[in-house]
Amino acid sequence: MALIPIIFLVALLATSVYLFGADSSYGANQIALILASCVAALVGRHVGVSWQEAQNGIVDGINVGLAPILILLSVGMLIGTWILCGTVPAIIYYGVEVLNPSIFYAASAAICGIVAISIGSSWTVAGTLGIGLMGISASFQLSPAITAGAIISGAYFGDKLSPMSDTTNLASAVSSVDLFDHIRHMLWTTVPSFALALMLFAFIGNSEAVAPREIDELQKALATEFNIGVFLLLPLLLMLVLVYKRFPAYPSIVVSALVGAVFAVVFQPDSVIKLAGGSGDVGKFFALCKGVWISLFDGYTSNSGNVLLDTLLSKGGMSSMLNTVWLIICALGFGGVLERTGILTLLLQLALSGVKSTGSLIAVTALTCFGTNVLAADQFISIALPGRMYKDEYQRRGLSRLNLSRTLEDSGTLTSVLIPWNTCGAYMSATLGVATLTYAPFAFFNMLCPLVAILYGYTQFAIKPLEADEDLTPLETL
């Protein structure tokens, strides 16, 4: 009976993708998730879970995603004001001069990886550097899907190894291991996987190493539309400093968006008034207010006449994120009702029944994390639930819980971004402007790392045995 809502959802999602293709996340998948939630509630009703309890589960599940939703909406604001103030145009303008298109994909992954290690947030890297790199990629006429895959690979590599990352801290906490021991143990799977990913990006880049003649025209169009200068990179620098100083993500992004609004009024007043539709009868001051306000809720619209530039810069605003918010709410509601009715816990327990070796234990852990990402639509749940359920099993089999914490990150953290209705997949798709299933084949690091972890399990390579002092460590729950 626990499989009924799962099978129902898979069938509906498959039909959705068949009928609507890349547009399936713009409404069809949401309907599938809502209907599957109803089916899960009916199954729960059959085993004694009242509708009120199921509804509470839905509400609690959605509550988990409220913080990511706030961040998502604030990123929409950030994109709008950063384009209007010239920060994103400046990143594109200088980026096409510095980055060689022959190594662009590999360089993008490396840059994002370095920044993500320093600030501990894959979402922030994608929402700041990622936006600029997507613009540079388009100006080079490179693949947006591969660029998004490179940005995500680098962002998640750095996020995974940063002691400031929330998922890294969660994985170590739920497994009851030391944070820095956890990070050191992750190097065994993370570094080889990222090295392989960089090699793949470098190989692909070499096959598309032609810079278009339109680059000069693009830079001229940017200089015509905006007052370009290095000082316009200050909002980006401020954002990175705030996050590095452990300032919370949501206020950091909002503050950076508002700083972008101030920069727009000071350095791009003509563009602001143009976005507002002219000063008209309201006067210059209120026209500036209106233009900034529009960029915050509806983004920026470029009408330069340069097709490439208009495509690059017509985006942003809170409204651009509303479809993604809709998807996240529906997905988290489904995950919440699965957890409240006990369906999710039962499925995790069934997964352990087939475990016979260290390799199969790690493989089942990885598959469980991926499955939880699919069903619960949130990477934190995919780390916390399997972590709580499996850590006794690792200790019983004489394995250090560091193996568990590493596998939780290798699979739970990294596969979340490959699922369209997961909070991470929905966020990256909305922020980078590429459908999740379109960039997923090129998120090489995110796909390689779970496979490397499973390979290590079956070959017994870099598997840490249980130590005497660890055996005495109390098993705490999150």
Side-chain angles (χ1 to χ4, degrees):
M1 288 190 65
L3 290 174
I4 292 175
I6 310 303
I7 296 171
F8 183 78
L9 176 63
V10 170
L12 282 185
L13 290 175
T15 305
S16 169
V17 172
Y18 175 74
L19 293 176
F20 300 99
D23 294 329
S24 60
S25 292
Y26 289 88
N29 287 348
Q30 286 88 327
I31 297 299
L33 288 161
I34 287 289
L35 294 177
S37 299
C38 295
V39 171
L42 289 174
V43 172
R45 177 79 175 178
H46 183 76
V47 295
V49 178
S50 69
W51 163 248
Q52 188 60 50
E53 290 179 90
Q55 180 175 281
N56 290 341
I58 293 173
V59 172
D60 290 343
I62 293 172
N63 185 57
V64 171
L66 290 181
I69 285 172
L70 287 174
I71 293 174
L72 187 63
L73 293 173
S74 65
V75 167
M77 296 168 51
L78 182 82
I79 295 171
T81 59
W82 276 22
I83 294 176
L84 181 62
C85 77
T87 296
V88 172
I91 293 173
I92 297 172
Y93 186 92
Y94 294 115
V96 294
E97 291 184 348
V98 175
L99 291 172
N100 188 319
S102 65
I103 60 167
F104 179 79
Y105 299 133
S108 296
I111 292 169
C112 290
I114 292 170
V115 175
I117 287 176
S118 67
I119 65 176
S121 173
S122 57
W123 281 33
T124 302
V125 170
T128 52
L129 284 177
I131 297 167
L133 290 170
M134 289 300 296
I136 297 169
S137 169
S139 67
F140 282 139
Q141 295 185 356
L142 297 176
S143 167
I146 301 176
T147 302
I151 292 167
I152 289 167
S153 292
Y156 274 80
F157 166 76
D159 184 308
K160 194 167 180 280
L161 293 183
S162 174
M164 293 180 287
S165 167
D166 44 12
T167 54
T168 303
N169 280 274
L170 175 61
S172 62
V174 78
S175 305
S176 300
V177 298
D178 179 76
L179 173 62
F180 291 98
D181 287 343
H182 166 60
I183 292 174
R184 281 191 290 270
H185 197 55
M186 281 198 297
L187 293 174
W188 287 103
T189 55
T190 304
V191 172
S193 299
F194 192 60
L196 287 172
L198 288 178
M199 291 171 62
L200 289 171
F201 286 126
F203 175 77
I204 295 174
N206 287 333
S207 65
E208 297 185 6
V210 179
R213 285 176 289 183
E214 290 85 355
I215 290 297
D216 289 338
E217 294 180 9
L218 175 66
Q219 287 186 308
K220 290 177 182 177
L222 283 168
T224 301
E225 285 284 302
F226 301 93
N227 297 313
I228 299 295
V230 178
F231 58 88
L232 294 175
L233 301 178
L234 288 176
L236 171 62
L237 179 61
L238 171 65
M239 175 71 191
L240 298 179
V241 170
L242 285 174
V243 179
Y244 180 76
K245 293 294 185 180
R246 303 301 292 160
F247 206 65
Y250 176 59
S252 295
I253 296 172
V254 172
V255 167
S256 299
L258 295 179
V259 169
V262 173
F263 268 53
V265 171
V266 174
F267 299 112
Q268 317 290 346
D270 293 338
S271 296
V272 177
I273 292 175
K274 183 179 178 181
L275 183 62
S279 56
D281 297 329
V282 299
K284 184 176 180 180
F285 174 78
F286 284 105
L288 290 171
C289 291
K290 181 179 179 181
V292 168
W293 212 322
I294 290 173
S295 72
L296 288 168
F297 73 79
D298 206 31
Y300 182 80
T301 302
S302 176
N303 296 301
S304 66
N306 183 301
V307 177
L308 178 58
L309 180 63
D310 292 344
T311 302
L312 287 177
L313 301 183
S314 296
K315 60 181 64 179
M318 272 193 176
S319 61
S320 67
M321 300 298 181
L322 293 179
N323 183 75
T324 303
V325 170
W326 178 23
L327 179 63
I328 290 173
I329 288 174
C330 294
L332 290 176
F334 176 67
V337 73
L338 285 186
E339 187 170 5
R340 183 58 61 95
T341 56
I343 293 174
L344 193 57
T345 302
L346 176 62
L347 293 175
L348 293 179
Q349 291 172 341
L350 289 174
L352 273 176
S353 62
V355 171
K356 301 184 183 302
S357 65
T358 299
S360 61
L361 177 59
I362 290 177
V364 165
T365 304
L367 290 173
T368 300
C369 291
F370 175 73
T372 307
N373 265 324
V374 172
L375 299 177
D378 184 79
Q379 68 173 347
F380 297 107
I381 297 175
S382 75
I383 293 172
L385 276 181
R388 288 200 300 261
M389 293 192 63
Y390 288 168
K391 67 180 179 182
D392 288 346
E393 186 68 17
Y394 274 75
Q395 184 165 309
R396 189 180 69 79
R397 290 175 178 269
L399 298 172
S400 169
R401 293 190 300 278
L402 286 169
N403 301 299
L404 170 61
S405 65
R406 182 177 72 185
T407 306
L408 294 176
E409 288 256 64
D410 290 340
S411 49
T413 299
L414 296 186
T415 62
S416 60
V417 76
L418 306 177
I419 301 159
W421 53 87
N422 190 282
T423 52
C424 296
Y427 174 87
M428 292 298 173
S429 176
T431 302
L432 301 178
V434 181
T436 308
L437 296 180
T438 302
Y439 70 64
F442 304 104
F444 296 133
F445 172 69
N446 301 68
M447 293 191 297
L448 284 169
C449 207
L451 298 178
V452 170
I454 293 172
L455 177 64
Y456 282 7
Y458 281 107
T459 59
Q460 298 291 303
F461 180 73
I463 299 297
K464 185 176 176 62
L466 185 70
E467 297 178 354
D469 57 344
E470 185 181 352
D471 191 25
L472 298 175
T473 303
L475 292 176
E476 302 166 355
T477 56
L478 196 65

